[in-house]
């Protein structure tokens, strides 16, 4: 009988449960602005947000997704705070923003004067950004970059994301995601590098110039206090090697009796070891295999030996240059040296922490091993 009584009570409660379910707000997809990329500029004391949103219909496509079109449009808003900027958009468009598919966070040049940890905290708190979005530093405004007319791929933001990923795999730039950037800035000595990107002009009809695409242009070096400098060429190459972020890396050897010889580095293994005697000194242990990819004929054993010695010398010079520019000159602990000291030599770190890295003057030695294989048969 008690069991039947409980069943009757559940039946009586059922209508009320159905009524309560209507309190949950459900948004249809067509009522949402699906954000693919977020750009932030800071000008004259105000934030300017540029949101690239998915818009197949707005691009003129006749299907849900038209590969021949951009399938996106941009929405811009301005305010004294990011919250005010977002509030402005509610007056000009009738859709709520959905950032669950956001791919990019682009920081414009104007944001360089702001402390990066504070800016990221504001953006994450206001926009609820995912931790796996790719972070980029724009050479110019973020608005200009996100409005570039990219004619490749299905979505502009997806094309940019894939370009960054491909360049990172080939060792040209270091890719960084929002979660990893926050971790790097929160670590001891906090420093980070962000891929730099710029809008590129191409010739249009009758000699006119239009923004058509974007191109990677090195990496922006940051400390907790803000932007330091732009890293390019050998410096960026050395930093990429030391950080262990590259799967492969092409380069050319050119010296009398050797080149020009095109090689591709692979099996790149790097390790930074703190000095065991309590000094602010580190040894880079770098092991690299390389394959000859471009030469008129297969090199003999003597030529390969000379090429290996030359490559070891070049890699050592690149790493020393990167260490000098990032740590010694700009005082950015982008390699996480302070964190390494804290874990492996806590007594040394306790002594150097207050002046790190400015007063500690860390140094680097290199131990580089290279093996070059002949042309593929």
């Amino acid at each position: 009988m008690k069991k039947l009584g409980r069943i009757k009570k559940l039946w009586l409660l059922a209508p009320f449960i159905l009524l309560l379910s209507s309190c949950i707000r459900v948004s249809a997809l067509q009522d949402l602005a699906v954000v693919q990329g977020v750009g932030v500029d800071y000008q004259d004391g105000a934030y300017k947000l540029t949101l690239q949103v998915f818009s197949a219909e707005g691009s003129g496509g006749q299907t849900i997704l038209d590969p021949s079109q951009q399938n996106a449009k941009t929405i811009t808003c301005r305010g004294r705070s990011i919250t005010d900027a977002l509030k402005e958009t509610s007056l000009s468009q009738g859709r709520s923003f959905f950032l669950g598919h956001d791919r990019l966070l682009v920081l414009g040049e104007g944001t360089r004067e702001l402390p990066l940890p504070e800016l990221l905290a504001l953006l994450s708190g206001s926009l609820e950004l995912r931790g796996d979005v790719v972070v980029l530093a724009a050479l110019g405004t973020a608005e200009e970059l996100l409005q570039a007319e990219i004619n490749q791929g299905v979505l502009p933001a997806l094309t940019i994301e894939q370009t960054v990923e491909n360049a990172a795999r080939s060792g040209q730039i270091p890719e960084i995601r929002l979660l990893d950037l926050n971790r790097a800035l929160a670590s001891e000595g906090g420093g980070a590098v962000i891929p730099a990107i710029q809008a590129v002009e191409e010739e249009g009809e009758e000699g006119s110039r239009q923004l058509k695409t974007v191109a990677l242009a090195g990496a922006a070096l940051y400390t907790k206090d803000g932007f330091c400098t732009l890293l390019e060429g050998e410096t960026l190459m050395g930093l990429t090697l030391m950080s262990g972020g590259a799967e492969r890396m092409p380069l050319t050897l050119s010296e009398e009796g050797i080149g020009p010889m095109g090689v591709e580095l692979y099996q790149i293994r790097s390790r930074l070891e703190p000095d065991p005697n309590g000094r602010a000194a580190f040894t880079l242990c770098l092991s690299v295999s390389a394959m000859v990819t471009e030469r008129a004929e297969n090199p003999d054993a003597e030529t390969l030996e000379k090429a290996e010695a030359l490559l070891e010398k070049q890699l050592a010079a690149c790493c020393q240059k990167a260490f000098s520019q990032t740590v010694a000159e700009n005082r950015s602990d982008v390699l996480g040296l302070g964190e390494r000291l804290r874990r492996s030599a806590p007594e040394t770190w306790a002594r150097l922490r207050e002046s790190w890295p400015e007063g500690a003057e860390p140094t680097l030695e290199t131990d580089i091993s290279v093996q070059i294989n002949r042309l593929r048969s």
Side-chain angles (χ1 to χ4, degrees):
M1 294 296 293
K2 290 183 179 180
K3 186 174 181 181
L4 289 174
R6 286 197 295 268
I7 292 174
K8 289 180 179 179
K9 288 179 181 179
L10 290 174
W11 276 108
L12 289 173
L13 287 172
F16 295 98
I17 294 174
L18 292 174
L19 288 173
L20 288 172
S21 66
S22 64
C23 298
I24 301 174
R25 182 179 178 181
V26 178
S27 298
L29 183 60
Q30 62 265 27
D31 296 329
L32 298 175
V34 182
V35 178
Q36 297 288 308
V38 175
V40 55
D41 294 302
Y42 188 74
Q43 300 168 336
D44 302 324
Y47 293 94
K48 188 173 186 180
L49 293 181
T50 303
L51 304 172
Q52 187 183 104
V53 299
F54 172 72
S55 178
E57 292 179 356
S59 66
Q62 299 301 312
T63 60
I64 295 178
L65 203 62
D66 188 348
S68 67
Q69 302 293 333
Q70 282 192 306
N71 297 295
K73 66 178 181 180
T74 56
I75 298 172
T76 59
C77 47
R78 177 187 289 269
R80 290 291 172 181
S81 68
I82 294 172
T83 301
D84 284 345
L86 289 171
K87 189 188 302 182
E88 178 194 306
T89 63
S90 64
L91 303 175
S92 59
Q93 62 97 28
R95 295 186 179 185
S96 299
F97 291 119
F98 175 68
L99 287 106
H101 291 291
D102 181 34
R103 301 176 183 277
L104 306 174
L105 171 59
V106 184
L107 306 177
E109 276 189 342
T111 63
R112 291 180 180 179
E113 60 188 83
L114 304 173
L116 191 54
E118 294 179 17
L119 175 62
L120 296 178
L122 289 173
L123 289 168
S124 297
S126 302
L127 297 173
E128 299 180 352
L129 295 173
R130 300 184 328 185
D132 63 344
V133 298
V134 173
V135 183
L136 298 169
L139 302 183
T141 66
E143 179 185 16
E144 178 187 52
L145 187 93
L146 288 176
Q147 289 181 344
E149 299 177 9
I150 300 174
N151 295 327
Q152 315 156 4
V154 177
L155 294 168
L158 176 58
T159 300
I160 295 174
E161 181 188 33
Q162 291 175 340
T163 300
V164 173
E165 291 175 349
N166 182 59
R169 284 193 295 270
S170 62
Q172 298 179 59
I173 54 98
E175 178 189 11
I176 194 162
R177 306 272 174 168
L178 180 58
L179 180 61
D180 296 326
L181 178 58
N182 281 320
R183 285 175 177 169
L185 294 171
S187 64
E188 301 287 0
V193 285
I194 302 176
I197 193 166
Q198 62 185 353
V200 178
E201 291 185 344
E202 292 184 350
E203 289 190 6
E205 295 179 0
E206 299 180 356
S208 63
R209 303 189 71 82
Q210 298 179 0
L211 291 175
K212 284 290 187 181
T213 187
V214 296
L216 294 167
L221 177 68
Y222 281 85
T223 64
K224 291 179 179 179
D225 296 328
F227 173 78
C228 296
T229 188
L230 187 68
L231 304 178
E232 301 174 286
E234 292 182 349
T235 301
L236 185 55
M237 176 182 171
L239 185 63
T240 304
L241 286 168
M242 285 192 286
S243 62
E247 296 178 9
R248 294 179 177 271
M249 182 179 293
L251 54 88
T252 301
L253 300 175
S254 183
E255 192 173 87
E256 185 177 353
I258 297 178
M261 179 189 294
V263 297
E264 184 178 78
L265 310 186
Y266 65 100
Q267 292 182 347
I268 303 170
R269 305 285 185 269
S270 65
R271 187 175 70 256
L272 279 163
E273 297 182 349
D275 180 75
N277 298 317
R279 297 182 301 125
F282 297 82
T283 299
L284 170 66
C285 301
L286 180 64
S287 173
V288 172
S289 295
M291 177 70 69
V292 177
T293 56
E294 183 181 1
R295 201 168 189 270
E297 57 185 16
N298 264 329
D300 56 26
E302 183 180 354
T303 302
L304 277 180
E305 187 175 339
K306 290 180 179 179
E308 288 173 349
L310 177 59
L311 184 53
E312 289 175 0
K313 182 180 178 180
Q314 287 187 358
L315 297 184
C318 288
C319 293
Q320 286 288 357
K321 189 172 182 178
F323 188 90
S324 176
Q325 188 169 352
T326 58
V327 180
E329 296 177 17
N330 288 287
R331 308 302 184 186
S332 175
D333 191 8
V334 66
L335 293 167
L337 303 179
E339 189 67 23
R340 296 173 194 273
L341 276 178
R342 186 187 68 80
R343 292 197 307 262
S344 62
E347 294 182 0
T348 302
W349 177 243
R351 176 169 51 85
L352 299 175
R353 181 175 184 177
E354 292 300 322
S355 60
W356 184 265
E358 292 87 352
E361 298 184 358
T363 60
L364 178 72
E365 296 180 359
T366 57
D367 180 10
I368 298 178
S369 173
V370 172
Q371 178 180 346
I372 299 180
N373 302 312
R374 288 181 172 85
L375 287 164
R376 296 182 178 92
S377 55

